[in-house]
Amino acid sequence: MTAQGLEMLDYLREVMIREHLQGRGIRDTAVLAAMREVPREEFVDERVAAKAYGDHPLPIAGGQTISQPYIVAYMTEALELKHNDRVLEIGTGSGYAAAVLSRIVTTVYSVERLDVLAQSARQRFERLGYTNIVIHEGDGTLGWPDHAPYDAIVVTAGAPRVPPPLLEQLATGGRLVIPVGSSCEVQSLIRVRRVAEHDYRREELCGVRFVPLIGAAGW
Ligand code: SAM
């Protein structure tokens, strides 16, 4: 990319922060700083790089999507992250949301069911120097028990219900943010807090549209 092209992307990134994020109520300074730091154009195909800072999803390999910037920021803010939190993401996709999370917490664990996406995200993290993200290829509806419990879990695909393994792998005091709905296409974004070992509190945040979460405890 030319120097002029890069300058334009820097400008568009600032517009994204000001208009799509701050303008729509994102206030967490750590989230805003992370969204400013991660170059979204690196997570999409070169042919659509110029559209990287529009507030919409974009296609990635495997018929999947990279979520719109506002939703990434909103879900990240909803996790109420602290620096030392252990975070699990289900649905690595392009790796963009994991990269944003990795600027806020020390380690991010991310699970992706499609090998092609897991591999390209790994290569991207290596190229960009994001060394604190660990990817596992598999069915994320089962979580990733090896590193549990997690202080925060975020699911970036729409589930028919909250997968029980994710509830089990949530630490007491932990937050789970997940799109849930009876249709594969429209969901409610839900936040579940584990307030005690057997006590979970659920709240509905907003309406969202995600590709389906496919797996043993998904679609
Ligand atoms: N977080 C991603 C990003 O920043 O690019 C966007 C994720 S995309 C909307 C949803 C992803 O969830 C897809 O990559 C899809 O393959 C993945 N997925 C669907 N079901 C899954 C499952 N059971 N386990 C892990 N990943 C799954």
Side-chain angles (χ1 to χ4, degrees):
M1 180 151 323
T2 62
Q4 222 174 10
L6 286 173
E7 232 171 72
M8 177 54 84
L9 288 172
D10 286 347
Y11 168 76
L12 293 173
R13 195 178 306 117
E14 281 309 313
V15 172
M16 169 191 86
I17 299 284
R18 209 174 48 239
E19 291 182 10
H20 305 319
L21 307 189
Q22 288 174 310
R24 292 182 66 190
I26 304 297
R27 292 285 173 265
D28 186 323
T29 53
V31 174
L32 292 168
M35 297 287 295
R36 183 172 277 125
E37 184 179 339
V38 178
R40 192 169 188 258
E41 68 275 16
E42 297 285 347
F43 293 80
V44 298
D45 192 287
E46 225 179 309
R47 285 168 296 187
V48 293
K51 296 185 181 166
Y53 294 104
D55 199 30
H56 42 68
L58 285 168
I60 57 173
Q64 303 300 315
T65 52
I66 173 175
S67 306
Q68 81 183 89
Y70 171 70
I71 284 295
V72 175
Y74 184 87
M75 291 173 87
T76 308
E77 189 171 68
L79 290 171
E80 299 175 351
L81 298 173
K82 291 176 287 302
H83 183 61
N84 288 325
D85 279 353
R86 180 181 288 250
V87 177
L88 175 68
E89 179 200 34
I90 306 302
T92 315
S94 68
Y96 178 69
V100 169
L101 292 165
S102 79
R103 303 301 87 193
I104 302 172
V105 299
T106 44
T107 310
V108 177
Y109 298 93
S110 187
V111 183
E112 172 55 56
R113 66 180 275 274
L114 298 179
D115 291 4
V116 60
L117 291 175
Q119 278 172 29
S120 60
R122 244 186 231 115
Q123 286 164 7
R124 221 167 249 141
F125 295 148
E126 215 174 293
R127 183 159 44 81
L128 295 171
Y130 294 142
T131 53
N132 60 337
I133 308 167
V134 194
I135 299 180
H136 170 63
E137 289 156 44
D139 178 2
T141 66
L142 304 175
W144 193 353
D146 298 8
H147 303 287
Y150 301 98
D151 303 296
I153 301 178
V154 60
V155 181
T156 63
R161 68 197 75 83
V162 180
L166 300 184
L167 293 173
E168 282 154 26
Q169 291 170 36
L170 195 61
T172 299
R175 290 82 54 205
L176 163 65
V177 171
I178 177 170
V180 176
S182 53
S183 128
C184 267
E185 286 172 4
V186 185
Q187 305 92 19
S188 286
L189 192 64
I190 303 289
R191 176 167 53 201
V192 181
R193 292 177 196 276
R194 187 174 197 172
V195 293
E197 196 185 345
H198 300 293
D199 189 359
Y200 296 87
R201 307 279 165 89
R202 176 180 166 129
E203 59 191 304
E204 230 174 273
L205 303 178
C206 62
V208 285
R209 252 172 201 278
F210 274 89
V211 294
L213 181 76
I214 296 165
W219 290 102

